[in-house]
Amino acid sequence: MGGDIIVGGDIVVDEKIVYISLGSNLGDRASMIERAIAALNSADIRVTRQSSLYITEPVQAPGQPRFLNAVVEAGTSLLPLQLLHALLKIERALGRRRITPHGPRNIDLDLLFYGSSVIRSKELEVPHPRLTERRFVLIPLTQIAPEFRHPVLHKSMTQILAETPDRSGVRLWHTAAEGQIAGEG
């Protein structure tokens, strides 16, 4: 059981710190991310820190509208698969329809880390298997958790961001004119 606590015969799971990425490239993107964060807080996923919003180029499917992306840190007592299903339920409730892989989406929620757990199952991989290749995840994650260490690579988010080969454009949303996105070299 590890750090679990037994109260009145029931097992109470310690709250885990999790990191979740949020993205949207359809409709009112900022409002959709705000609504997703509110939904997280209503689903036993207590948001404790939130990055700024970043405007980013679509990475795997050029020609789409630009994304707004953010990362949140949250505490939850949900187990990993329960958390995954809660995120999928929130996406569906906000109108997400998975029609085209890597296609445009009004909301996308990805579980990046579940504490320092390493999970490899048919349904879920944690840490997120592609986060080290995605500046649109690493920049907001580094903003709120620069010293958080990847449980497999044993590197901080700051180190991983410095080493990523991804050079796609990522800018703070409130300071970037949408037509002036550029990669950092």
Side-chain angles (χ1 to χ4, degrees):
M1 272 193 292
D4 298 343
I5 302 166
I6 300 176
V7 178
D10 294 325
I11 296 175
V12 178
V13 178
D14 283 345
E15 192 169 80
K16 292 286 187 189
I17 299 298
V18 299
Y19 292 92
I20 299 165
S21 69
L22 303 94
S24 175
N25 74 337
L26 292 176
D28 184 343
R29 300 165 298 172
S31 174
M32 186 57 66
I33 289 173
E34 285 178 27
R35 290 175 58 201
I37 291 170
L40 290 171
N41 282 311
S42 298
D44 195 26
I45 307 163
R46 186 179 50 83
V47 174
T48 54
R49 284 197 274 179
Q50 175 183 340
S51 75
S52 300
L53 293 176
Y54 290 85
I55 187 163
T56 65
E57 297 288 346
V59 173
Q60 294 180 314
Q64 294 183 35
R66 291 187 178 108
F67 278 84
L68 280 187
N69 291 97
V71 170
V72 296
E73 175 187 270
T76 188
S77 59
L78 297 175
L79 297 174
L81 285 177
Q82 292 172 323
L83 178 56
L84 172 64
H85 293 142
L87 297 179
L88 294 172
K89 183 177 178 181
I90 290 167
E91 286 182 344
R92 284 190 304 273
L94 293 174
R96 169 86 188 261
R97 302 291 173 259
R98 294 175 184 268
I99 298 167
T100 306
H102 309 296
R105 61 209 75 167
N106 64 326
I107 192 67
D108 186 34
L109 303 174
D110 286 326
L111 178 58
L112 304 174
F113 293 103
Y114 184 88
S116 59
S117 298
V118 177
I119 303 162
R120 299 283 181 257
S121 74
K122 187 176 177 179
E123 262 188 287
L124 179 64
E125 283 190 63
V126 175
H128 191 287
R130 290 172 300 284
L131 76 91
T132 61
E133 305 160 10
R134 296 179 169 176
R135 288 179 78 233
F136 67 87
V137 170
L138 290 169
I139 288 174
L141 180 56
T142 299
Q143 180 189 11
I144 63 171
E147 297 308 313
F148 181 80
R149 298 189 75 74
H150 192 291
V152 175
L153 302 176
H154 307 291
K155 295 179 179 181
S156 72
M157 294 302 104
T158 301
Q159 290 172 298
I160 292 170
L161 174 59
E163 295 171 1
T164 187
D166 179 15
R167 292 292 168 238
S168 60
V170 177
R171 295 281 184 261
L172 274 172
W173 180 54
H174 69 280
T175 59
E178 290 201 30
Q180 298 177 341
I181 303 298
E184 292 180 3

